[in-house]
Amino acid sequence: MDLTGTRMRRAVVERPGLVVVTLLGVLLFLDLVRRVATGQQGIAQLVGFLWDGTVIGLVIGLAGIGLSLTYSILNFANFSHGDIVTVGGYVGWATTFAIAGFGTANFGDLVLLGASGGVSPRSIGVTVTTTPLAVVAGLVVATVAAAAVALALDRVVYRPMRDASGISLLIASIGVALALRYAVVFVWDASPQGLTAASDILSVRIALPGGHFTLGAHQVTLVVMALLLMAGLHLLLQFTKLGTAMRAMADNKDLARVTGIPTERVIRLTWIVGGGLAGAAGYLAALERGTIAFNLGWLLLLLIFAAVILGGIGSVYGAMVGGLAIGVVSRVSLVWIPADFGNAAAFLIMILILLFRPQGIFGGVETA
Amino acid sequence: MTADGLAVADVVDRARTSGVFRGFVLALAAYVLLFAVGLAVPGVAGVRNLVGLIALYFLLVFLLGIHWRHSDNDVALIAGFMLVIYVAFAASGMALGLDLNGIVNTLRRLTFLTAVYAMLVLALNLHWGYAGLFNIGVAGFMAVGVYTMAMLTGPVDPGPTQVGGLGLPLWVGIVGGMVAAAIAGFVAALPALRLRADYLAIVTVAMSEILRISYLSTTFQDAIPPLRFFGITFVPSLPVGTGGGQGISMPTNPILALFYTNPQDTTSAPTALGSLLFGIGRQFDVLDTVIVGWAYAVVLFVFVIAFYWLLVRVGNSPFGRVLKAIREDELVAKALGKNTRRFKITTFMLGCALMGLAAILWQGSQGFTNPGAYRPIQTFYIFLALIIGGAGSNTGSVVGGAVFASVLFEGPPFVSRLVSKTFELRASPGNFGDAVAALGRFDFGPLFAYTLHNISTIRFILLGVLIIALMQRRPDGLFGHRKEVAAAVDLSDRGGEDG
């Protein structure tokens, strides 16, 4: 008791900022309890926030794994990661429509997702229940294509710069991001494309105090697929030799090298895994939203960074949990703030984490 | 050209080995050939003119290269560079069939963009080049400067179409905008400077997005709502709005007061200066608005000179020497008893204030601004210009701004128009699918036309590729090799080769 008292006193003196932030967090939680108890905050809406937060959080977590791995192994913040998400999403959806609309519409119009004005994608009626094969094929192609793009970019851009500083690589990755994003615009046009019609999608309405809460089939698909992919990654990391090598590299690069781990092979695998999961995240995000736009991944990127920093750079499991936390924060914060500030709240959390616990909650690889 | 001390033999020697000069000779030969052919076949005039233009570009680049090697004077360097850009664009404009007004207006736009980018790059150079602070939230600090200025000077009782402001005079608004940008810089820097460089990058870009979201939000559109916690009002509501997504109007451009008796109304009678300059302009069919625009651009250039002077002074002062020491080795600077954190924060704030001022001068020309002008891409433009010029060099910053504004930003649309005009291309296909479908018939025309038509998209791809290429091959940029040493006297200079 006395010991914890001393420790607490020391914490207050040494890190007053942290204490203030913690107190503020506790205060907000108490306020939330009060709001729910007094009926000021409807339970249905709160459950909706939590569910939406989980859905977007899984996308962020899935995409964050690759960012976290490359950040720790190659030691740079990859600003092009968001656009890998976009490329995966577009290529995957082009595949889905090519399969689902086969025979009913012109191939070119389908692959361009209606950017040519030839066909309205919503009229094809793609949903996970009516055209499951097309959706699964799209997801697989999105994963493979994004992995291939990530690998090609590493070969052309990042590999010749292995010895460059982290900042040089960061700037180069901004160049990659620009080139990728506008290559997507060049092919698919800058205006967003609608993919699925909300009325086609199976959904369940659950009555709760203060309203009702809707569970959509595509949201459930996203959650299931994301969890499956994460479980698959877990198996890969824990039970294969390359997975162990990857974890070793992320943990301590020099030590890994001394023990004879083939560095370049592990780096290639990292790009494949990270890029592939990012592509899958892009596909699933577009599935859940029912639309896709060229800045899909770029807008997610800062949230992904927030998740990775929250979870601890280099920690795969940290990225997953960090993604969920960031997703939930960006939605539950809407209890207090207007809807357009959800992302701002998530960025604020990231800045606070950087200030008070730069190694992240999971204490990944210390990089500060 | 600095003719003195430049032997003719040297130029001849240079010409013999230079690939650029060979390109010039080749293009010139092709031009002469096409001219001869053109006497018999009438259709080649367009291609001939384009080839002639290419020959001119080669010659200009060659001359610039000689100027570059023989000039130690940075002002002459920048002047020579601007001259080359003007000649290149004027010739291209003529080839496009622009009239004098069009050409003068093109040069005005170039001057304006060069000036605003030069100012912003100079400010960023203070952060990145001098103090090694990797700030990629430039757009956010620009937004704070402009919005604060607009909100301070906005009308107290706005009409139905405007949002309210505090109704303060313009100079208060400008100073207020700079101070607000500096405070925003302080808020970002205070915590972030404890962290690694790439964390500062993420924090600044996140902060610039938070700011843009705030200015875009409908919450602050008409008035700032009161800050309430647990039923207690901490800050009362302010009748000052941001205009949300619709943007906010800015005070009347003060340059107009030089030309019109009533600056609010461009149909009012011109002043003495106005009637003199407009009269000269009308002689050459140059529009009044172009002349006013040129006056604004010239004022901006005066500001560029002021920025340049200020930064050179800062860089050479004891303060600047500490900054360079921090950039080279922070630990050593600390060991010598310098409070490096305070130096960094001061520098960061000064740079942010300058970014705010530059943005005010930029957006002030159009009397209106909206959050779309402060996307992260704006930051990347400025960074690219800095990398081209070479971080750490003020002259490089100005030249980088000019290269970016002319060659990279304004250049591609010009080239696209020139090529379209010369080859009388068929109309571009409406989408990528039709363009690619034609490839199946070995018809590359549609894809080419589609590419030219979407030159603004292609431009972004080129910028991205250029950033990568620069980081891989020339991370030091044009002037990065000119290291400004931290010491007042160059200790490494012992009369030998410069390292």
Side-chain angles (χ1 to χ4, degrees), chain A residues 71 112 116 156-157 161 167-168 171-172 174-176 178 182-183 186-187 302 305 313 338 340-341 350 354-355 367, chain B residues 128 191 194-196 198-199 203 205-206 213-214 217-220 377 387 431-433 450 457 460 464 467-468 472:
Chain A
Y71 205 151
L112 289 181
S116 54
V156 178
V157 181
M161 299 178 72
I167 291 292
S168 299
I171 298 173
I174 290 174
V176 173
L178 269 181
Y182 285 93
F186 187 65
V187 176
L302 278 178
F305 266 120
I313 288 164
D340 27 10
F341 284 99
M350 172 180 78
L354 276 178
L355 289 185
T367 40
Chain B
W128 174 229
R194 295 208 320 235
L195 307 167
R196 269 187 3 171
D198 50 348
Y199 282 3
V203 167
V205 76
I213 291 170
S214 309
S217 161
T218 50
T219 311
F220 305 123
I377 187 106
I387 297 168
N431 63 76
F432 184 69
Y450 181 75
T457 305
F460 285 115
I467 292 177
I468 300 165
Q472 283 188 346

Side-chain angles (χ1 to χ4, degrees), chain B residues 284-340:
Chain B
F284 299 98
D285 289 326
V286 176
L287 295 177
D288 296 356
T289 50
V290 174
I291 292 174
V292 175
W294 256 109
Y296 196 84
V298 169
V299 170
L300 285 195
F301 242 98
V302 173
F303 272 100
V304 173
I305 293 167
F307 268 56
Y308 187 93
W309 176 82
L310 177 71
L311 290 190
V312 169
R313 281 302 296 261
V314 168
N316 290 334
S317 67
F319 181 85
R321 288 205 296 276
V322 176
L323 287 186
K324 286 179 229 164
I326 292 174
R327 181 191 61 194
E328 299 305 330
D329 195 331
E330 188 172 349
L331 210 59
V332 171
K334 250 185 203 161
L336 290 172
K338 302 294 177 193
N339 185 350
T340 56

Side-chain angles (χ1 to χ4, degrees), chain B residues 89-169:
Chain B
F89 271 84
S92 312
M94 269 189 261
L96 269 176
L98 293 183
D99 57 4
L100 188 63
N101 181 58
I103 290 172
V104 171
N105 194 32
T106 303
L107 298 187
R108 174 204 63 81
R109 201 174 142 68
L110 276 177
T111 314
F112 173 80
L113 283 174
T114 299
V116 290
Y117 276 106
M119 280 188 280
L120 288 164
V121 176
L122 279 169
L124 185 61
N125 188 35
L126 183 63
H127 283 171
W128 174 229
Y130 278 104
L133 301 170
F134 193 66
N135 169 12
I136 51 172
V138 179
F141 302 113
M142 289 166 65
V144 171
V146 176
Y147 267 89
T148 308
M149 184 272 225
M151 285 155 81
L152 287 177
T153 55
V156 178
D157 41 17
T161 54
Q162 273 187 311
V163 290
L166 295 179
L168 295 169

Side-chain angles (χ1 to χ4, degrees), chain B residues 410-496:
Chain B
E410 290 290 286
F414 244 82
V415 171
S416 162
R417 277 162 67 192
L418 272 173
V419 174
S420 307
K421 186 180 153 69
T422 308
F423 295 105
E424 283 160 12
L425 291 171
R426 283 162 289 172
S428 158
N431 63 76
F432 184 69
D434 294 347
V436 174
L439 289 183
R441 305 188 296 273
F442 294 102
D443 183 0
F444 293 91
L447 184 61
F448 190 56
Y450 181 75
T451 307
L452 282 179
H453 184 71
N454 289 290
I455 193 77
S456 56
T457 305
I458 294 294
R459 181 170 64 189
F460 285 115
I461 300 178
L462 287 178
L463 293 181
V465 172
L466 185 67
I467 292 177
I468 300 165
L470 279 172
M471 290 325 288
Q472 283 188 346
R473 287 160 211 277
R474 274 208 83 140
D476 282 343
L478 290 172
F479 286 88
H481 59 282
R482 298 212 312 207
K483 275 269 174 289
E484 286 182 31
V485 283
V489 183
D490 189 349
L491 300 173
S492 64
D493 186 14
R494 292 189 178 128

